[in-house]
Amino acid sequence: MKTEGISQHQIIHFLILFFFSTFVGFSSVQLVKMAQYDSLIVIFIGGLSAVAQAIIGIKLANRRPDQFIVTYGKEIFPYWVHLLLMGAMFFFCFHGSAFMLREYEDFIIQVYLPETPNWAIGILFGGTVAIMARLGIVTLFRSAQGLFFITIFAILLNTVFVGRELKWERSMAFITNHDFQGIVQGSYFISPFFCEIVLLIFIYPYIMDIEKTRRSFFWAIFYSISLIIVYIGFLLLLFGPNLTAHLAFPILEMVRFIKIAEFIENLDPLLIAVWSTMVYIKISFFFYLAVHILAQLLKLKDYRPLTFSLAAIVVSMSVTMAENFASLSDVYEHSWPTFALCVESIPLLYLLMDTIKNYVKKKSMTPVENKKT
């Protein structure tokens, strides 16, 4: 039995932060613009896609639970095909960390530090991400577990005090206003976001009590979509779909409605600090996976020498990948879903090929056994 690793509770806490962090900050505007009052239905569909991806990932990982897919993948596909597929996974994680870092840079500059250049924010945040990656995946999950309870308190605080400002007469629109095209478009956009759960197969050997992993994934997905549904529902009841779709950062506008007393009128710096830490945890996870995959492809014994050099590339990529916030949002809305779905389908390819090879192997062994009998 493993004495040190990632516990099942840590998986649940991490995944809740993983989904909630970047969704409320960077994805809610696009979703509401596409689906409007059908956004709650779309989130539920996204949750179902996460369940499907979790089942695929767990089924593949359970066949070799003590090995990394980067190592055993060459037993399933020819080496050059495996190298190409793992290269795509590396780029997805590497690009994803740079993309989220750029989103956070734009947020900080637009809201709090308008005269600060992107590279300054990128260096500060990229350095902390590199340090977290060097500390290891177990430390990352422990940090997420500690942050989880603070996050739940912040969410409850936001729910209680924003709830007094909601316009409940809009709630009937969740029943009467439906658009099938918006549901399809929103589902295609948001499903890749939830399907990122399959990335956990790259750290599967670190997970303890793996027989409980499927249940932990399901509970994490359930709690995550529940929190996100509440958040999106509050956005729509507070601002309506038209205003929400034109806000750059709805989460910021929502928390600014909180006024506990005359002497506590602006809690947004405190709540945004909690949210920023969640984003930091997710970026660190993507960056760790990118470094880990590359180190295993290069057959290095230790991934840590790569962290700071790759972090510098991530910061450079985040600064240069888009001219402005609008062009970045356009890429995220129109190009990213297709790219993400293609890459996130790679574990399914490994599972199908491994199943076919096992079936052929069993079929070829059956005639031999019959001859012996």
Side-chain angles (χ1 to χ4, degrees):
M1 183 178 177
K2 300 173 185 174
T3 56
E4 183 177 357
I6 301 170
S7 69
Q8 297 300 317
H9 289 296
Q10 288 173 343
I11 290 175
I12 295 175
H13 297 160
F14 171 80
L15 285 176
I16 292 174
L17 301 185
F18 181 86
F19 287 127
F20 189 78
S21 59
T22 52
F23 184 93
V24 301
F26 308 131
S27 302
S28 54
V29 172
Q30 290 85 352
L31 176 61
V32 172
K33 183 168 66 173
M34 295 176 188
Q36 297 204 352
Y37 285 104
D38 288 320
S39 297
L40 307 189
I41 299 175
V42 169
I43 294 169
F44 179 76
I45 294 173
L48 294 179
S49 66
V51 170
Q53 277 287 67
I55 293 173
I56 292 170
I58 291 172
K59 191 167 185 178
L60 174 63
N62 278 337
R63 295 187 176 182
R64 301 169 181 85
D66 296 325
Q67 300 181 49
F68 293 101
I69 186 174
V70 182
T71 304
Y72 69 75
K74 59 181 177 289
E75 302 173 5
I76 301 175
F77 279 108
Y79 180 73
W80 66 271
V81 177
H82 168 65
L83 190 64
L84 181 64
L85 294 176
M86 287 298 102
M89 296 299 302
F90 161 77
F91 180 77
F92 177 73
C93 296
F94 193 70
H95 178 269
S97 60
F99 197 94
M100 287 183 286
L101 180 58
R102 175 56 185 270
E103 289 179 313
Y104 184 76
E105 291 169 9
D106 289 340
F107 169 78
I108 291 295
I109 291 172
Q110 289 188 40
V111 177
Y112 295 110
L113 303 172
E115 302 298 326
T116 306
N118 276 63
W119 59 264
I121 305 297
I123 290 175
L124 289 174
F125 209 69
T128 57
V129 167
I131 292 172
M132 176 58 76
R134 284 182 63 88
L135 293 175
I137 193 65
V138 176
T139 302
L140 179 63
F141 272 73
R142 287 177 179 172
S143 302
Q145 187 178 29
L147 179 64
F148 172 78
F149 299 101
I150 302 175
T151 303
I152 292 300
F153 173 76
I155 293 173
L156 291 175
L157 182 69
N158 182 72
T159 302
V160 170
F161 290 100
V162 172
R164 300 179 299 182
E165 308 291 337
L166 300 181
K167 299 179 180 179
W168 293 101
E169 60 272 14
R170 289 175 174 157
S171 59
M172 186 58 64
F174 291 112
I175 301 174
T176 58
N177 293 22
H178 297 292
D179 179 24
F180 180 74
Q181 183 178 356
I183 293 175
V184 173
Q185 187 179 3
S187 299
Y188 186 78
F189 167 74
I190 209 63
S191 292
F193 171 84
F194 286 102
C195 288
E196 290 172 353
I197 192 173
V198 79
L199 294 176
L200 268 71
I201 66 173
F202 288 97
I203 60 168
Y204 207 75
Y206 292 111
I207 298 176
M208 300 186 295
D209 301 324
I210 57 174
E211 65 277 358
K212 301 177 181 178
T213 304
R214 180 174 300 186
R215 183 176 61 184
S216 298
F217 276 27
F218 290 166
W219 279 116
I221 294 169
F222 172 76
Y223 291 133
S224 298
I225 64 172
S226 298
L227 290 175
I228 292 173
I229 284 175
V230 171
Y231 167 76
I232 293 295
F234 273 35
L235 272 186
L236 294 172
L237 291 175
L238 186 63
F239 300 120
N242 294 327
L243 179 57
T244 301
H246 289 87
L247 295 173
F249 303 105
I251 183 176
L252 180 65
E253 303 301 329
M254 177 184 285
V255 299
R256 281 176 174 170
F257 270 81
I258 298 178
K259 293 182 180 180
I260 298 179
E262 297 257 340
F263 57 92
I264 306 179
E265 293 191 354
N266 292 317
L267 283 178
D268 56 290
L270 174 62
L271 298 180
I272 293 302
V274 175
W275 169 77
S276 297
T277 311
M278 288 192 285
V279 175
Y280 161 70
I281 292 291
K282 183 167 183 178
I283 297 176
S284 299
F285 177 72
F286 266 73
F287 180 70
Y288 171 84
L289 289 186
V291 176
H292 196 62
I293 292 171
L294 182 61
Q296 290 182 335
L297 289 176
L298 297 176
K299 298 181 180 179
L300 301 178
K301 294 183 179 180
D302 190 0
Y303 70 90
R304 287 177 292 181
L306 298 175
T307 51
F308 285 111
S309 57
L310 290 181
I313 299 175
V314 165
V315 173
S316 301
M317 186 184 298
S318 71
V319 174
T320 59
M321 65 169 41
E323 294 182 4
N324 49 49
F325 178 73
S327 60
L328 188 74
S329 298
D330 185 69
V331 170
Y332 181 55
E333 184 176 338
H334 297 101
S335 302
W336 178 83
T338 302
F339 165 66
L341 279 176
C342 291
V343 176
E344 289 163 356
S345 300
I346 289 176
L348 176 61
L349 297 179
Y350 277 93
L351 180 61
L352 291 175
M353 180 58 68
D354 194 40
T355 303
I356 292 172
K357 292 184 73 171
N358 289 338
Y359 176 77
V360 172
K361 186 177 180 180
K362 290 180 180 179
K363 292 288 287 185
S364 61
M365 292 177 62
T366 302
V368 177
E369 292 176 357
N370 291 336
K371 288 181 180 179
K372 290 181 179 180
T373 55

